[in-house]
């Protein structure tokens, strides 16, 4: 039986006297992939940041049933990588919440490093583990940011256009990894996407934000076409 991780009621956000969305209501069940769609500027990033408690909505409530031991993590559009650190070090930072600062003062445990290398291999970065993040291509940097976030083992994964810089092949591979990984741990994904084919292939629910009317958002349950 599905548990509700987040329950959103009457949510609204006003930016510079313009409402991006109003009276927004939906819930995030376990083992679900929710796609947020709509044109640029409609409020997708704002909504994700609200769900991540980075910013406060103008009205409404977000009720979370996630207890302290269950983590929420976010993949950001700007990636937030450390350019002067290696690919491996950036990825390992996703494990920081599992260890004290004293424990990592002299390095991460060997099993964490091996797990990290395994994840880098899934994203085609195994041969670039010692390369500085600043020297990676934009697509490689995006895959690294996703790898780092998945290593934090979040129950709720929020993703802001996580495959925007990837070619179609890597985009599909990456979304499959994200969905499969979250499904295995009973977690969920809330993800902004632009590509309609990707939405239909991976999403269980679609929240579409309307640029012309902040209250004309739609919520649709769909059957993913993923093989």
């Amino acid at each position: 039986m599905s548990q509700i991780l987040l329950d959103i009621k009457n949510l609204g956000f006003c930016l510079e006297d313009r409402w991006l969305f109003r009276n927004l209501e939906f819930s995030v069940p376990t083992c679900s992939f929710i796609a947020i769609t709509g044109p640029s500027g409609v409020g997708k990033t704002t909504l994700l940041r609200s769900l991540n408690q980075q910013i406060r909505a103008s009205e409404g409530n977000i009720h979370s049933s996630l207890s302290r031991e269950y983590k929420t993590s976010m993949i950001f559009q700007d990636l937030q990588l450390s350019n002067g650190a290696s690919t491996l070090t950036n990825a390992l930072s996703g494990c920081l919440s599992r260890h004290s600062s004293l424990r990592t003062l002299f390095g991460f445990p060997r099993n964490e490093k091996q797990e990290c290398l395994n994840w880098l291999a899934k994203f085609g970065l195994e041969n670039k583990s010692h390369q500085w993040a600043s020297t990676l291509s934009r697509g490689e940097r995006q895959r690294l940011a996703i790898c780092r976030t998945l290593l934090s083992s979040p129950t709720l994964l929020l993703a802001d256009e996580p495959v925007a810089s990837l070619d179609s092949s890597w985009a599909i591979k990456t979304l499959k990894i994200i969905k499969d990984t979250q499904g295995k741990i009973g977690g969920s994904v809330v993800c902004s996407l632009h590509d309609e084919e990707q939405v239909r292939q991976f999403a269980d629910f679609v929240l579409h934000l309307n640029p012309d009317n902040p209250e004309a958002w739609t919520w649709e349950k769909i059957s993913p076409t993923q093989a």
Side-chain angles (χ1 to χ4, degrees), residues 89-128:
T89 299
N90 270 281
L92 279 169
S93 66
C95 308
L96 284 172
S97 62
R98 294 195 286 273
H99 304 281
S100 67
S101 56
L102 180 62
R103 179 64 185 85
T104 59
L105 183 62
F106 301 104
F108 283 85
R110 182 176 298 178
N111 66 311
E112 289 279 28
K113 288 185 178 178
Q114 186 56 56
E115 179 70 7
C116 186
L117 289 169
N118 292 342
W119 274 99
L120 288 174
K122 288 184 182 181
F123 286 97
L125 298 169
E126 65 271 30
N127 295 325
K128 303 196 175 187

Short mmCIF file of all heavy atoms in Angstrom, two decimals, residues 89-128:
data_model
loop_
_atom_site.label_atom_id
_atom_site.label_comp_id
_atom_site.label_asym_id
_atom_site.label_seq_id
_atom_site.Cartn_x
_atom_site.Cartn_y
_atom_site.Cartn_z
N THR A 89 35.74 13.04 -6.03
CA THR A 89 35.47 13.82 -4.82
C THR A 89 34.09 14.45 -4.86
O THR A 89 33.36 14.45 -3.86
CB THR A 89 36.54 14.91 -4.64
OG1 THR A 89 37.83 14.29 -4.51
CG2 THR A 89 36.26 15.77 -3.42
N ASN A 90 33.69 14.97 -6.02
CA ASN A 90 32.35 15.54 -6.16
C ASN A 90 31.29 14.49 -5.90
O ASN A 90 30.30 14.74 -5.20
CB ASN A 90 32.17 16.14 -7.55
CG ASN A 90 32.57 17.60 -7.63
OD1 ASN A 90 31.83 18.49 -7.22
ND2 ASN A 90 33.77 17.85 -8.15
N ALA A 91 31.47 13.32 -6.48
CA ALA A 91 30.49 12.26 -6.29
C ALA A 91 30.44 11.80 -4.83
O ALA A 91 29.36 11.58 -4.27
CB ALA A 91 30.82 11.08 -7.21
N LEU A 92 31.60 11.70 -4.19
CA LEU A 92 31.65 11.25 -2.80
C LEU A 92 30.95 12.21 -1.85
O LEU A 92 30.50 11.81 -0.78
CB LEU A 92 33.11 11.08 -2.36
CG LEU A 92 33.79 9.76 -2.77
CD1 LEU A 92 35.29 9.85 -2.51
CD2 LEU A 92 33.19 8.59 -2.01
N SER A 93 30.83 13.46 -2.24
CA SER A 93 30.16 14.42 -1.37
C SER A 93 28.70 14.04 -1.15
O SER A 93 28.07 14.48 -0.18
CB SER A 93 30.27 15.84 -1.94
OG SER A 93 29.55 15.97 -3.15
N GLY A 94 28.16 13.21 -2.04
CA GLY A 94 26.81 12.72 -1.84
C GLY A 94 26.69 11.77 -0.66
O GLY A 94 25.58 11.51 -0.18
N CYS A 95 27.82 11.27 -0.17
CA CYS A 95 27.81 10.33 0.96
C CYS A 95 28.05 11.03 2.30
O CYS A 95 28.04 10.38 3.35
CB CYS A 95 28.92 9.27 0.78
SG CYS A 95 28.93 8.43 -0.81
N LEU A 96 28.27 12.34 2.28
CA LEU A 96 28.67 13.06 3.50
C LEU A 96 27.67 12.91 4.63
O LEU A 96 28.06 12.84 5.81
CB LEU A 96 28.87 14.55 3.18
CG LEU A 96 30.17 14.90 2.46
CD1 LEU A 96 30.14 16.37 2.02
CD2 LEU A 96 31.37 14.63 3.35
N SER A 97 26.38 12.85 4.32
CA SER A 97 25.37 12.78 5.38
C SER A 97 25.44 11.48 6.17
O SER A 97 24.89 11.38 7.27
CB SER A 97 23.97 12.95 4.79
OG SER A 97 23.69 11.90 3.88
N ARG A 98 26.14 10.48 5.64
CA ARG A 98 26.23 9.19 6.33
C ARG A 98 27.44 9.10 7.25
O ARG A 98 27.63 8.10 7.94
CB ARG A 98 26.28 8.05 5.30
CG ARG A 98 25.02 7.90 4.49
CD ARG A 98 24.97 6.57 3.77
NE ARG A 98 25.86 6.49 2.63
CZ ARG A 98 25.55 6.88 1.41
NH1 ARG A 98 24.36 7.42 1.18
NH2 ARG A 98 26.41 6.77 0.41
N HIS A 99 28.28 10.14 7.24
CA HIS A 99 29.52 10.08 8.02
C HIS A 99 29.76 11.40 8.74
O HIS A 99 29.41 12.46 8.25
CB HIS A 99 30.71 9.78 7.11
CG HIS A 99 30.56 8.53 6.30
ND1 HIS A 99 30.77 7.27 6.81
CD2 HIS A 99 30.18 8.34 5.00
CE1 HIS A 99 30.55 6.36 5.88
NE2 HIS A 99 30.19 6.98 4.77
N SER A 100 30.42 11.31 9.88
CA SER A 100 30.80 12.51 10.60
C SER A 100 31.98 13.17 9.91
O SER A 100 32.72 12.54 9.14
CB SER A 100 31.19 12.16 12.04
OG SER A 100 32.38 11.39 12.06
N SER A 101 32.17 14.47 10.17
CA SER A 101 33.31 15.17 9.58
C SER A 101 34.62 14.56 10.03
O SER A 101 35.60 14.53 9.27
CB SER A 101 33.25 16.66 9.94
OG SER A 101 33.20 16.83 11.35
N LEU A 102 34.66 14.06 11.26
CA LEU A 102 35.87 13.42 11.76
C LEU A 102 36.16 12.14 10.98
O LEU A 102 37.32 11.85 10.65
CB LEU A 102 35.71 13.10 13.25
CG LEU A 102 36.91 12.43 13.94
CD1 LEU A 102 38.14 13.34 13.88
CD2 LEU A 102 36.58 12.08 15.39
N ARG A 103 35.11 11.39 10.65
CA ARG A 103 35.29 10.11 9.94
C ARG A 103 35.86 10.34 8.55
O ARG A 103 36.63 9.51 8.05
CB ARG A 103 33.95 9.38 9.86
CG ARG A 103 34.02 8.04 9.10
CD ARG A 103 34.90 7.06 9.84
NE ARG A 103 35.10 5.81 9.13
CZ ARG A 103 36.03 5.61 8.20
NH1 ARG A 103 36.85 6.59 7.86
NH2 ARG A 103 36.15 4.43 7.62
N THR A 104 35.49 11.45 7.92
CA THR A 104 35.95 11.70 6.54
C THR A 104 37.18 12.59 6.48
O THR A 104 37.65 12.92 5.40
CB THR A 104 34.83 12.35 5.72
OG1 THR A 104 34.44 13.60 6.33
CG2 THR A 104 33.62 11.43 5.63
N LEU A 105 37.71 12.98 7.66
CA LEU A 105 38.87 13.87 7.68
C LEU A 105 40.05 13.27 6.92
O LEU A 105 40.80 13.97 6.22
CB LEU A 105 39.27 14.16 9.13
CG LEU A 105 40.44 15.15 9.34
CD1 LEU A 105 40.09 16.52 8.77
CD2 LEU A 105 40.78 15.26 10.82
N PHE A 106 40.21 11.96 7.04
CA PHE A 106 41.33 11.28 6.37
C PHE A 106 40.85 10.43 5.19
O PHE A 106 41.53 9.51 4.76
CB PHE A 106 42.10 10.43 7.38
CG PHE A 106 42.67 11.22 8.52
CD1 PHE A 106 42.08 11.18 9.77
CD2 PHE A 106 43.77 12.04 8.33
CE1 PHE A 106 42.59 11.92 10.82
CE2 PHE A 106 44.29 12.78 9.37
CZ PHE A 106 43.70 12.74 10.62
N GLY A 107 39.66 10.75 4.70
CA GLY A 107 39.15 10.04 3.53
C GLY A 107 37.91 9.23 3.84
O GLY A 107 37.59 8.97 5.01
N PHE A 108 37.22 8.83 2.80
CA PHE A 108 36.00 8.04 2.95
C PHE A 108 36.35 6.56 3.09
O PHE A 108 37.40 6.10 2.63
CB PHE A 108 35.11 8.24 1.73
CG PHE A 108 34.36 9.53 1.73
CD1 PHE A 108 34.95 10.70 1.24
CD2 PHE A 108 33.05 9.61 2.21
CE1 PHE A 108 34.26 11.89 1.24
CE2 PHE A 108 32.35 10.79 2.21
CZ PHE A 108 32.95 11.95 1.73
N PRO A 109 35.47 5.78 3.71
CA PRO A 109 35.69 4.33 3.80
C PRO A 109 35.84 3.71 2.42
O PRO A 109 35.27 4.19 1.44
CB PRO A 109 34.41 3.83 4.49
CG PRO A 109 33.86 5.01 5.20
CD PRO A 109 34.23 6.20 4.38
N ARG A 110 36.59 2.64 2.36
CA ARG A 110 36.88 1.98 1.08
C ARG A 110 35.60 1.53 0.38
O ARG A 110 35.48 1.64 -0.84
CB ARG A 110 37.80 0.78 1.31
CG ARG A 110 38.20 0.06 0.02
CD ARG A 110 39.19 -1.06 0.31
NE ARG A 110 40.43 -0.56 0.89
CZ ARG A 110 41.44 -1.35 1.27
NH1 ARG A 110 41.35 -2.66 1.14
NH2 ARG A 110 42.53 -0.82 1.78
N ASN A 111 34.64 1.03 1.15
CA ASN A 111 33.40 0.54 0.52
C ASN A 111 32.62 1.68 -0.12
O ASN A 111 31.96 1.50 -1.15
CB ASN A 111 32.54 -0.21 1.53
CG ASN A 111 32.03 0.69 2.64
OD1 ASN A 111 32.79 1.44 3.24
ND2 ASN A 111 30.74 0.59 2.94
N GLU A 112 32.68 2.89 0.49
CA GLU A 112 32.00 4.05 -0.10
C GLU A 112 32.67 4.45 -1.41
O GLU A 112 32.00 4.79 -2.39
CB GLU A 112 32.00 5.23 0.87
CG GLU A 112 31.10 5.06 2.07
CD GLU A 112 29.64 5.38 1.78
OE1 GLU A 112 29.20 5.22 0.63
OE2 GLU A 112 28.93 5.77 2.72
N LYS A 113 33.99 4.42 -1.43
CA LYS A 113 34.72 4.76 -2.66
C LYS A 113 34.38 3.78 -3.78
O LYS A 113 34.19 4.18 -4.93
CB LYS A 113 36.22 4.79 -2.40
CG LYS A 113 36.70 5.97 -1.59
CD LYS A 113 38.21 5.98 -1.47
CE LYS A 113 38.71 7.20 -0.70
NZ LYS A 113 40.18 7.19 -0.55
N GLN A 114 34.31 2.49 -3.42
CA GLN A 114 34.01 1.49 -4.44
C GLN A 114 32.59 1.66 -4.96
O GLN A 114 32.33 1.57 -6.17
CB GLN A 114 34.20 0.09 -3.88
CG GLN A 114 34.03 -1.03 -4.92
CD GLN A 114 34.96 -0.85 -6.10
OE1 GLN A 114 36.19 -0.76 -5.94
NE2 GLN A 114 34.40 -0.79 -7.31
N GLU A 115 31.66 1.92 -4.04
CA GLU A 115 30.27 2.15 -4.45
C GLU A 115 30.18 3.37 -5.35
O GLU A 115 29.44 3.38 -6.34
CB GLU A 115 29.39 2.34 -3.21
CG GLU A 115 27.93 2.62 -3.50
CD GLU A 115 27.19 1.41 -4.06
OE1 GLU A 115 27.76 0.30 -4.09
OE2 GLU A 115 26.02 1.58 -4.46
N CYS A 116 30.95 4.39 -5.01
CA CYS A 116 30.96 5.61 -5.82
C CYS A 116 31.50 5.33 -7.22
O CYS A 116 30.95 5.80 -8.22
CB CYS A 116 31.81 6.66 -5.11
SG CYS A 116 31.77 8.28 -5.91
N LEU A 117 32.57 4.54 -7.30
CA LEU A 117 33.13 4.19 -8.60
C LEU A 117 32.14 3.37 -9.43
O LEU A 117 32.06 3.53 -10.65
CB LEU A 117 34.44 3.42 -8.42
CG LEU A 117 35.63 4.24 -7.91
CD1 LEU A 117 36.79 3.32 -7.51
CD2 LEU A 117 36.09 5.25 -8.96
N ASN A 118 31.39 2.52 -8.76
CA ASN A 118 30.37 1.74 -9.46
C ASN A 118 29.30 2.65 -10.06
O ASN A 118 28.85 2.44 -11.20
CB ASN A 118 29.71 0.75 -8.50
CG ASN A 118 30.66 -0.36 -8.05
OD1 ASN A 118 31.69 -0.60 -8.69
ND2 ASN A 118 30.34 -1.01 -6.94
N TRP A 119 28.90 3.67 -9.30
CA TRP A 119 27.91 4.62 -9.80
C TRP A 119 28.47 5.46 -10.95
O TRP A 119 27.78 5.72 -11.93
CB TRP A 119 27.44 5.52 -8.66
CG TRP A 119 26.32 4.93 -7.88
CD1 TRP A 119 26.39 4.29 -6.69
CD2 TRP A 119 24.94 4.91 -8.25
NE1 TRP A 119 25.15 3.85 -6.29
CE2 TRP A 119 24.24 4.23 -7.23
CE3 TRP A 119 24.23 5.39 -9.34
CZ2 TRP A 119 22.87 4.03 -7.27
CZ3 TRP A 119 22.85 5.20 -9.39
CH2 TRP A 119 22.19 4.52 -8.36
N LEU A 120 29.71 5.89 -10.83
CA LEU A 120 30.33 6.65 -11.92
C LEU A 120 30.34 5.82 -13.20
O LEU A 120 30.15 6.36 -14.31
CB LEU A 120 31.74 7.08 -11.54
CG LEU A 120 31.84 8.18 -10.47
CD1 LEU A 120 33.31 8.40 -10.08
CD2 LEU A 120 31.24 9.49 -10.98
N ALA A 121 30.58 4.52 -13.06
CA ALA A 121 30.59 3.64 -14.24
C ALA A 121 29.22 3.59 -14.90
O ALA A 121 29.10 3.56 -16.13
CB ALA A 121 31.04 2.24 -13.83
N LYS A 122 28.15 3.60 -14.08
CA LYS A 122 26.80 3.60 -14.65
C LYS A 122 26.54 4.81 -15.52
O LYS A 122 25.78 4.76 -16.48
CB LYS A 122 25.76 3.57 -13.51
CG LYS A 122 25.64 2.26 -12.78
CD LYS A 122 24.52 2.34 -11.75
CE LYS A 122 24.41 1.04 -10.97
NZ LYS A 122 23.30 1.09 -9.98
N PHE A 123 27.21 5.92 -15.17
CA PHE A 123 27.01 7.17 -15.90
C PHE A 123 28.15 7.47 -16.88
O PHE A 123 28.30 8.60 -17.32
CB PHE A 123 26.83 8.32 -14.91
CG PHE A 123 25.50 8.32 -14.22
CD1 PHE A 123 25.35 7.76 -12.96
CD2 PHE A 123 24.38 8.85 -14.84
CE1 PHE A 123 24.12 7.74 -12.32
CE2 PHE A 123 23.14 8.84 -14.21
CZ PHE A 123 23.02 8.28 -12.95
N GLY A 124 28.95 6.44 -17.20
CA GLY A 124 30.00 6.59 -18.20
C GLY A 124 31.15 7.48 -17.78
O GLY A 124 31.84 8.06 -18.63
N LEU A 125 31.40 7.60 -16.48
CA LEU A 125 32.44 8.50 -15.98
C LEU A 125 33.56 7.76 -15.27
O LEU A 125 34.39 8.38 -14.60
CB LEU A 125 31.81 9.51 -15.00
CG LEU A 125 30.74 10.44 -15.59
CD1 LEU A 125 30.03 11.19 -14.47
CD2 LEU A 125 31.34 11.41 -16.59
N GLU A 126 33.61 6.44 -15.43
CA GLU A 126 34.60 5.66 -14.68
C GLU A 126 36.04 6.02 -15.04
O GLU A 126 36.95 5.91 -14.22
CB GLU A 126 34.37 4.16 -14.88
CG GLU A 126 34.58 3.64 -16.32
CD GLU A 126 33.32 3.72 -17.16
OE1 GLU A 126 32.50 4.62 -16.93
OE2 GLU A 126 33.19 2.88 -18.08
N ASN A 127 36.28 6.46 -16.28
CA ASN A 127 37.65 6.80 -16.70
C ASN A 127 37.99 8.26 -16.42
O ASN A 127 39.07 8.73 -16.81
CB ASN A 127 37.83 6.51 -18.19
CG ASN A 127 37.72 5.02 -18.50
OD1 ASN A 127 38.13 4.18 -17.69
ND2 ASN A 127 37.15 4.69 -19.65
N LYS A 128 37.09 8.98 -15.77
CA LYS A 128 37.33 10.40 -15.49
C LYS A 128 37.23 10.71 -14.00
O LYS A 128 37.03 11.85 -13.61
CB LYS A 128 36.33 11.25 -16.27
CG LYS A 128 36.40 11.00 -17.77
CD LYS A 128 35.72 12.05 -18.59
CE LYS A 128 35.95 11.76 -20.08
NZ LYS A 128 35.47 12.84 -20.96
#
